[in-house]
Amino acid sequence: MAFMKDILTRNIPIWEECAATPFVQEVQTGKLPLEKFKRYMIQDSIYLKNYARIYGKAIFHADTLREIQLYYSMLNFVNDTESEVRLDYLKQFCMTDNDIELIAPLPENQNYIDFMFEIASHGKNEEILMAILPCMLSYSYIFRKLAAVPTSRQSRYWDFIKDYADEQYAESCKEWSAFAGYKCAGLSEANKKYLADIFEKDLPGCVANTAVKSKSDIMGRIYVCNNHRSDLFMWF
């Protein structure tokens, strides 16, 4: 567990910077222009398709049945829970996943996708975990934070917020984090540093996907933190 706590602590400055992005604030208040949210949803749909493929590689390289089940539970959230709300929004935009297939990812999005596939190509699940966990953990954290603000329920994006603020999702994040800590516990300090570097590269990759480089445009996979550091470790 200390391994994961240390990783998150080192990345607090990045989380703090992203907490102030206009996109996050405007999602919470509902003031984000619908066209910007549409562009985000399109790029996120492209990202999620490739994100799900990474889990296929993780399942292939899993050592135990329990490990396969854990990866499958993550994939299930991406394909089922996440997709349900995403498809509802695409329907509002008169779009389907077939339409998404015809749209190219933005360069920042493609760079992030390429990074994940490069890590997955090594065939080591400790590395794959460090590439996929930042998005899962941060989304639970950020949207629980947003949902805790009573006025967020009046946001036009409340369905989007509450989907990631779900208690069951938070419990799943706790389980996934514990598993990552278990997988990495017996590694050498050099290997742990290498894995921490992957996690940290993934943070600017996710954020710069769109949120930081184009703060007023579309979000990408975003990260926020709370000034109360103890709250950061709610998954541990």
Side-chain angles (χ1 to χ4, degrees), residues 74-85:
M74 297 183 195
L75 181 59
N76 182 65
F77 180 83
V78 174
N79 281 343
D80 295 340
T81 307
E82 230 175 342
S83 285
E84 183 177 351
V85 172

Side-chain angles (χ1 to χ4, degrees), residues 33-207:
L34 196 59
E35 187 61 28
K36 291 182 180 179
F37 188 75
K38 176 183 176 180
R39 290 198 294 272
Y40 156 71
M41 192 58 66
I42 289 171
Q43 289 298 313
D44 202 46
S45 296
I46 296 170
Y47 163 83
L48 287 174
K49 178 187 71 175
N50 289 280
Y51 190 65
R53 292 167 65 193
I54 300 297
Y55 284 102
K57 290 181 175 290
I59 289 171
F60 179 79
H61 293 292
D63 295 321
T64 65
L65 176 61
R66 178 54 181 155
E67 191 170 344
I68 291 173
Q69 291 170 338
L70 280 168
Y71 290 128
Y72 185 79
S73 72
M74 297 183 195
L75 181 59
N76 182 65
F77 180 83
V78 174
N79 281 343
D80 295 340
T81 307
E82 230 175 342
S83 285
E84 183 177 351
V85 172
R86 182 181 60 80
L87 290 172
D88 283 344
Y89 277 107
L90 289 181
K91 186 177 180 180
Q92 293 179 39
F93 304 140
C94 299
M95 299 182 72
T96 67
D97 274 336
N98 289 336
D99 297 311
I100 299 298
E101 294 290 345
L102 302 176
I103 302 173
L106 292 175
E108 296 87 355
N109 199 3
Q110 186 63 61
N111 289 340
Y112 182 33
I113 291 168
D114 290 345
F115 169 75
M116 289 194 300
F117 275 104
E118 178 187 354
I119 294 300
S121 70
H122 300 166
K124 297 181 180 180
N125 276 2
E126 292 86 355
E127 296 181 24
I128 295 175
L129 278 168
M130 293 302 103
I132 61 179
L133 275 180
C135 287
M136 305 298 285
L137 303 186
S138 64
Y139 261 48
S140 176
Y141 183 87
I142 182 175
F143 288 107
R144 283 168 63 88
K145 180 185 173 90
L146 296 186
V149 179
T151 55
S152 66
R153 287 158 177 74
Q154 281 74 58
S155 171
R156 69 196 302 178
Y157 305 112
W158 172 242
D159 286 346
F160 180 60
I161 294 170
K162 72 177 182 180
D163 190 44
Y164 290 103
D166 181 71
E167 290 293 332
Q168 183 57 51
Y169 180 46
E171 286 301 309
S172 295
C173 285
K174 182 178 180 179
E175 183 179 17
W176 300 332
S177 296
F179 175 67
Y182 165 77
K183 285 285 287 185
C184 301
L187 299 178
S188 69
E189 290 304 312
N191 281 338
K192 287 181 180 179
K193 183 181 185 305
Y194 171 67
L195 294 174
D197 288 344
I198 292 175
F199 190 98
E200 291 168 14
K201 286 179 182 177
D202 207 35
L203 285 174
C206 288
V207 176

Side-chain angles (χ1 to χ4, degrees), residues 11-31:
N11 285 278
I12 281 177
I14 298 175
W15 291 41
E16 290 179 340
E17 178 184 353
C18 295
T21 57
F23 192 103
V24 178
Q25 310 267 332
E26 293 174 2
V27 165
Q28 181 177 308
T29 62
K31 294 180 179 180

